[in-house]
Amino acid sequence: MSLPDYITDIKDFLTDHGFPEQMEAAVILGSGLGSFGDKIENSDSIPYADIPSFPQSTVEGHSGSLIYGEIAGKPILAFSGRFHHYEGHDFAKTVLPVQLARAFNVEKLIISNAAGGINFRYRVGDLMIIDSIIKQYVMISEPAQHTWDSSFEEYAREVKQIARNLSIETHLGTYLYVKGPHYESKAEIRAFRRMGGDAVGMSTAPELIEAAKLGVKTAAISLITNAAAGVTGAKLDHAEVKEAADQKKEVFAKLVEGLIKDF
């Protein structure tokens, strides 16, 4: 499948600035998880604002820079900040990191996000490997169901085993995508739970669908950074997201490093 012309232009710009032609892996870092960039060796970064045709990330907890370097001697790209539909980007732009990863011929893509826990068994700080998604909106053209959902579940099981080998506890669960930017109401969360959702968030689903279209092997991990509305009596606050991510950053980094090596 062909990529948009601006993806080729972006890659040319990056290779002119010293990026290698091919990368082993790419990582999309969710809210509060940008500290993973500190684990990248021999790294350099370029602010999104300096890259032609690149949208800007405006969400607190997203630094808005593209990092390249090495993990375990393997060249990787890390997107420290993503582009949400609720920021005013159309869905075609929200999947730009996936398309750019494909342009660099990555062998694996790792997508992360901060999500609200719907499942009563989940606790703040838990990691959930996404093995299915529920989407309420038409986002982008999608491949036939059998070409992505079955492989998606297979990848999730592989990620689960890698986490187990690293003695990292994880859940397998369903991610329910909402547009945002507002947190959901208690009534919506009750409905989402009945629908089978385990966690809810405002990203990732468009990226997963685009990765399936492009044939990119992908792992998706949610860090449960807060309990969704109605699960506890606490008021939802974005500061809670950042705090939970900071407490889990070492475990998250260990899992991502393991996936870059073994996934």
Side-chain angles (χ1 to χ4, degrees):
M1 176 177 288
S2 62
L3 297 169
D5 290 341
Y6 59 79
I7 294 296
T8 301
D9 294 339
I10 292 171
K11 183 180 179 182
D12 289 344
F13 171 84
L14 295 173
T15 53
D16 287 345
H17 283 73
F19 281 46
E21 287 283 342
Q22 186 164 335
M23 301 281 185
E24 173 78 15
V27 184
I28 301 174
L29 297 167
S31 293
L33 295 169
S35 62
F36 175 78
D38 297 336
K39 302 289 185 181
I40 301 173
E41 299 175 338
N42 304 316
S43 66
D44 199 358
S45 65
I46 300 179
Y48 289 165
D50 294 346
I51 304 174
S53 301
F54 236 73
Q56 304 305 304
S57 178
T58 63
V59 179
E60 187 178 358
H62 293 246
S63 68
S65 59
L66 182 60
I67 306 168
Y68 77 100
E70 296 179 347
I71 291 288
K74 300 178 185 295
I76 73 157
L77 279 177
F79 296 85
S80 186
R82 54 155 48 91
F83 321 114
H84 300 81
H85 183 63
Y86 68 73
E87 294 176 271
H89 305 299
D90 61 35
F91 282 116
K93 279 290 187 180
T94 67
V95 299
L96 183 150
V98 179
Q99 295 170 337
L100 189 59
R102 179 68 182 84
F104 277 98
N105 295 311
V106 301
E107 294 187 11
K108 61 200 78 172
L109 171 65
I110 302 162
I111 302 175
S112 66
N113 63 58
I118 297 176
N119 191 314
F120 285 123
R121 295 186 297 108
Y122 291 6
R123 298 291 180 264
V124 170
D126 285 359
L127 294 173
M128 185 189 85
I129 300 164
I130 302 174
D131 66 359
S132 188
I133 59 175
I134 298 172
K135 57 194 186 310
Q136 302 180 85
Y137 311 98
V138 175
M139 298 172 288
I140 50 180
S141 59
E142 301 179 26
Q145 179 75 6
H146 72 276
T147 66
W148 71 280
D149 204 35
S150 58
S151 61
F152 188 43
E153 293 175 6
E154 178 184 346
Y155 294 155
R157 290 193 296 270
E158 185 177 347
V159 175
K160 177 75 171 177
Q161 184 58 54
I162 291 170
R164 186 179 292 116
N165 293 343
L166 294 169
S167 300
I168 297 174
E169 294 186 7
T170 60
H171 304 284
L172 287 177
T174 297
Y175 179 86
L176 193 146
Y177 169 74
V178 294
K179 286 184 179 179
H182 305 293
Y183 287 118
E184 305 72 39
S185 70
K186 294 178 182 179
E188 287 174 319
I189 293 301
R190 287 196 299 270
F192 294 163
R193 189 178 297 112
R194 293 190 184 101
M195 291 168 64
D198 293 300
V200 60
M202 306 172 192
S203 66
T204 304
E207 298 158 341
L208 285 170
I209 293 170
E210 185 69 8
K213 287 171 59 179
L214 297 175
V216 180
K217 185 179 182 181
T218 306
I221 305 162
S222 292
L223 172 59
I224 305 302
T225 51
N226 59 280
V231 176
T232 70
K235 181 180 179 181
L236 299 179
D237 185 348
H238 191 69
E240 182 182 12
V241 172
K242 294 189 293 180
E243 180 182 356
D246 188 61
Q247 292 176 352
K248 206 70 173 184
K249 63 183 180 182
E250 294 300 327
V251 174
F252 172 77
K254 181 180 178 181
L255 178 55
V256 173
E257 290 174 18
L259 292 173
I260 290 171
K261 294 175 185 177
D262 300 324
F263 181 51

